[in-house]
Amino acid sequence: MDSVENRRNAITTLINEKGEITFAQLKEAFPQVSDMTLRTDLRNLDENKRIVRIHGGARSVDVVVGTDDYLGKRSVRNVEAKKAIVMKAKKLISPGTAVFLDSGSTTTMLAAEIEDQSNLIVTSSISCAMELARLEKPQVVIPGGSLNRYSMSICGLQGISELQKMNFEIAFIGVTSYQEETGFACNVYEEALLKQTVIKKAVKSVVLMDSSKIGKHSTFTFGFLSDVDVVISDGRLPASFLAACRENGVEVI
């Protein structure tokens, strides 16, 4: 196998592992390869249906359009970063408060760490609810709707209508991507509406986002920095993002 094919195999493996990658991240992974060569590689891999080229980068063919990827695959990506986020997030959950847990691999990890204490915990995530089932003291509520088999979550107008009647002391929101121009985004329209609803109904909105989400592209915006209160990340956020957080009064943990 020649060096070109070896490199393209390595690029494909990297994209499959991350689910989605920016061109800047690709350049960082292959510093000895020119921009022109990397773009040629992406074009070839896209033409051969091994990856999908998107604006500013590439996506794994396993990430289905109109979804946020399979939860099982997301759960094995950036595990250490997610663990660091979860350990910070659990400290914000006080007994006797109403908490919302969004769907996603990071919130599922958070659900597994929540203490057995008196809380009202509302979640759109089947996987979160399964983790919370081990606890005796919290009351766990799942809004109605339709099952998204990719994210193992419940969503739809019924659930959004129910959430509009609730109020939360704190809400933990998952993110598929963030760009300065498009804000926080995901790839499912109804889930974007659900996130928007929860952010408006929470005293404190907390975004859980590892640094790999910065610069990625998703279809549906659900909020900007001005809409949230806290960002919990892995300590590797770029300086430009941290500066934007300060400008918008967003706490970074």
Side-chain angles (χ1 to χ4, degrees):
M1 188 178 299
D2 63 26
S3 60
V4 173
E5 189 60 25
N6 281 333
R7 185 180 65 251
R8 290 176 178 174
N9 286 342
I11 291 172
T12 303
T13 298
L14 179 63
I15 293 170
N16 286 338
E17 287 176 351
K18 290 186 173 294
E20 186 177 311
I21 193 170
T22 65
F23 190 74
Q25 290 171 323
L26 187 63
K27 287 172 59 178
E28 184 178 349
F30 297 89
Q32 305 304 319
V33 183
S34 70
D35 288 13
M36 182 179 296
T37 298
L38 287 175
R39 294 186 192 282
T40 300
D41 288 339
L42 290 180
R43 184 166 57 251
N44 176 273
L45 292 170
D46 179 75
E47 290 172 352
N48 286 282
K49 296 180 172 57
R50 295 174 64 185
I51 58 98
V52 178
R53 292 177 72 194
I54 60 174
H55 177 71
R59 178 180 293 164
S60 168
V61 294
D62 291 333
V63 178
V64 183
V65 174
T67 77
D68 278 321
D69 197 4
Y70 287 96
L71 178 67
K73 291 181 179 178
R74 280 184 280 159
S75 65
V76 296
R77 296 182 186 132
N78 305 314
V79 173
E80 291 306 313
K82 291 174 182 177
K83 284 182 179 178
I85 292 169
V86 165
M87 291 303 104
K88 297 174 185 177
K90 67 178 290 188
K91 297 177 182 178
L92 300 182
I93 301 176
S94 301
T97 57
V99 179
F100 178 82
L101 288 182
D102 199 3
S103 61
S105 56
T106 307
T107 49
T108 299
M109 290 176 65
L110 175 57
E113 294 290 336
I114 289 178
E115 304 289 343
D116 193 7
Q117 61 190 25
S118 177
N119 288 105
L120 170 64
I121 304 177
V122 180
T123 182
S124 57
S125 166
I126 298 297
S127 56
C128 283
M130 291 174 65
E131 293 290 352
L132 295 168
R134 78 187 193 285
L135 305 176
E136 296 181 359
K137 295 181 180 179
Q139 178 185 357
V140 179
V141 175
I142 303 175
S146 302
L147 174 67
N148 180 330
R149 63 190 179 91
Y150 299 99
S151 62
M152 289 302 292
S153 64
I154 302 294
C155 193
L157 296 180
Q158 178 183 343
I160 292 169
S161 177
E162 291 176 22
L163 288 167
Q164 288 172 339
K165 301 170 186 176
M166 300 179 186
N167 300 290
F168 307 100
E169 273 76 29
I170 190 165
F172 295 96
I173 308 297
V175 174
T176 303
S177 67
Y178 175 85
Q179 292 183 346
E180 182 179 356
E181 299 81 4
T182 57
F184 300 109
C186 64
N187 286 314
V188 182
Y189 176 64
E190 288 186 339
E191 291 196 4
L193 292 180
L194 184 148
K195 293 173 194 285
Q196 285 178 336
T197 300
V198 170
I199 288 172
K200 291 177 182 177
K201 301 298 289 184
V203 174
K204 179 179 286 188
S205 296
V206 181
V207 168
L208 306 180
M209 181 180 72
D210 67 76
S211 54
S212 70
K213 305 295 178 66
I214 301 290
K216 287 187 176 180
H217 171 80
S218 297
T219 307
F220 301 107
T221 295
F222 62 83
F224 292 86
L225 282 172
S226 58
D227 298 312
V228 303
D229 303 293
V230 180
V231 171
I232 302 181
S233 193
D234 52 7
R236 296 184 292 179
L237 294 170
S240 58
F241 180 83
L242 294 174
C245 285
R246 288 192 295 271
E247 290 173 6
N248 286 276
V250 177
E251 180 183 5
V252 178
I253 301 176

